[in-house]
Amino acid sequence: MGSGIFRTKSVEQSIADTDEPDSKLRKDLTAWDLTVFGVAVVVGAGIFTLTARTAGNVAGPSVSLAFVLAAIACGLAALCYAEFASTVPVAGSAYTFSYATFGEFIAWIIGWDLILEFALAASVVAKGWSLYLGNVIGAEGSTVVELGPVDFDWGSVLLIAALTVILATGTKLSSRVSAVITGIKVGVVLLVIVVGAFYISKDNYSPYIPPSEPGDTGEGIHQSLFSYLTGAGGSTYGWYGLLAASSLVFFAFIGFDVVATTAEETKNPQKSLPRGILGSLAIVTVLYVAVTLVLTGMVKYTDLAGENSTLATAFEIHGITWAQWVINLGALAGLTTVVLVMLLGQTRVLFAMSRDGLMPRKLAHTGPHGTPVRITVIVGVVSAVLAGFFPMGTLEEMVNIGTLFAFVLVCVGVIILRRTRPDLPRGFKVPLVPVVPILAVLACLWLMLNLSVETWIRFVVWMAIGIVVYFLYGYRHSMVGLRATPKPGVEAEALGHLGGPEGPGGVGL
């Protein structure tokens, strides 16, 4: 509908496009599969490292409350994702939702944003997996070899290659592999909770919110945007430390939105998607809070200060030496499934953009297993090159800003679609609209303000590149635009493949 860069793709057309024979995804997934995917991607190495460092350096014992606050913020966004995914059960997550509400240009921006989020996340986490692999085989750094002037991380490349093959073979197989490995890492987390509970001393919880102390927020572009704009000095502990900790640990929850990218491959999306999204979030919240309560009860929070403290630190203080090995095993399992599901999310966003013509349409072809094999291989190769040859340190925050930006658009989109299309059948409805989506937007914007200035600069540069690509390619090849004004040549052939200007089923725009 409409014309120009803000033309929208109707929900009906989005659903009709899922029936194209040449780019049809197989519907194999259940609510259980989606819940496993959600837990698989959210419970990563963060539970073994982030919890200890945040308790020791930022919040003290109140880190458990910080996780609750972060879970509430994440839950508000999750409600909006659940409504959208059950209303528009099409691959692409926030990209597809934005196309139906904000129009093509914003949809492209969010799609470009998600490409950044998932590609960097998969590569960064794969490098983390490689580090743990080095620890398990007994030699730190043994997974990196020198190839002339560059270092090559063969561990991360090996992981991405194996997971790419699994993804190309079928989403159901990916789900089964993910379920087994997720079972291992959840078992490790539960073991940590049960064993650690015997060493809890209630004295370690006092003071629950330690007195505020001056802290270092960095200088120039390294400080948070909030500090840069307000000139406020940073602090650790106290109420400000608690809020800062909420911003930090929020990123431990990132990933549940990947569940929404599998909407098109779900058997009963109206019921299964909300259950998968909200169910996985509830499970990981309980696990995170339980781990932080045990951790801060085992040792004084000051014993966890420093950049190298992990969950194992608390066990080592009590002489539980086998904990390091178990935690390494849990981290390896945890990171494996995170990379798997991030790669899955990346391929599905690119698949949706390709089917819409904003990326080359040939990429949207699905193979005999009902998966976009070409895209899967391309994503696997690019991610492997990034992980194998590039240092990823400061790029991690780029993942966070990309995710939060997507959250904001989805939450606003729910309000818009309620007004513009109240007639649409919704398998799940966000309560108290527009209050809940507005609260979610405010929470996400606050978290974005706590990211560094240099992260914002990189984000703006990446978006500027995306805008150039859109006007050079996407705008001219958009299927929505071509349906409105068919052109001779290649585009006409593509339209014929779709079944005419109105697409399959004759659903007009």
Side-chain angles (χ1 to χ4, degrees), residues 269-290:
Q270 283 73 23
K271 290 183 178 179
S272 297
L273 281 160
R275 289 174 182 171
I277 291 171
L278 299 174
S280 58
L281 190 59
I283 291 170
V284 299
T285 300
V286 171
L287 289 176
Y288 278 154
V289 173

Side-chain angles (χ1 to χ4, degrees), residues 14 172 198 206 221-222 228 328 337 408:
S14 292
K172 191 65 179 179
F198 288 99
S206 182
I221 62 172
H222 301 295
Y228 181 80
N328 279 336
T337 53
V408 168

Side-chain angles (χ1 to χ4, degrees), residues 180-401:
V180 171
I181 302 176
T182 300
I184 294 171
K185 70 176 175 184
V186 170
V188 169
V189 172
L190 292 175
L191 179 66
V192 165
I193 292 171
V194 171
V195 173
F198 288 99
Y199 296 87
I200 289 177
S201 168
K202 64 180 182 180
D203 293 337
N204 290 327
Y205 292 127
S206 182
Y208 185 67
I209 301 179
S212 177
E213 297 178 8
D216 179 23
T217 58
E219 297 179 352
I221 62 172
H222 301 295
Q223 63 185 316
S224 73
L225 183 63
F226 179 76
S227 297
Y228 181 80
L229 293 174
T230 62
S235 65
T236 55
Y237 309 131
W239 284 101
Y240 186 88
L242 172 60
L243 292 174
S246 298
S247 293
L248 286 172
V249 302
F250 175 86
F251 305 123
F253 289 96
I254 282 178
F256 76 86
D257 55 317
V258 178
V259 174
T261 68
T262 64
E264 202 171 316
E265 295 156 275
T266 305
K267 292 178 181 177
N268 185 359
Q270 283 73 23
K271 290 183 178 179
S272 297
L273 281 160
R275 289 174 182 171
I277 291 171
L278 299 174
S280 58
L281 190 59
I283 291 170
V284 299
T285 300
V286 171
L287 289 176
Y288 278 154
V289 173
V291 166
T292 52
L293 286 173
V294 168
L295 175 69
T296 53
M298 287 178 69
V299 295
K300 198 70 177 171
Y301 69 90
T302 50
D303 293 334
L304 299 171
E307 290 304 312
N308 297 319
S309 60
T310 67
L311 202 55
T313 304
F315 286 85
E316 288 166 5
I317 290 173
H318 287 282
I320 311 172
T321 52
W322 53 264
Q324 181 69 52
W325 186 86
V326 172
I327 288 170
N328 279 336
L329 176 65
L332 268 180
L335 294 176
T336 300
T337 53
V338 173
V339 177
L340 175 70
V341 183
M342 284 297 180
L343 289 172
L344 173 67
Q346 168 74 296
T347 59
R348 296 316 183 254
V349 171
L350 268 175
F351 169 80
M353 295 175 76
S354 300
R355 187 166 58 189
D356 289 335
L358 301 183
M359 291 286 188
R361 275 179 57 79
K362 288 183 179 180
L363 296 178
H365 174 74
T366 50
H369 298 291
T371 58
V373 178
R374 293 173 184 171
I375 288 177
T376 303
V377 172
I378 290 170
V379 167
V381 170
V382 171
S383 298
V385 169
L386 286 173
F389 294 99
F390 289 86
M392 287 293 169
T394 56
L395 294 180
E396 292 181 22
E397 277 198 0
M398 292 289 287
V399 178
N400 305 332
I401 195 169

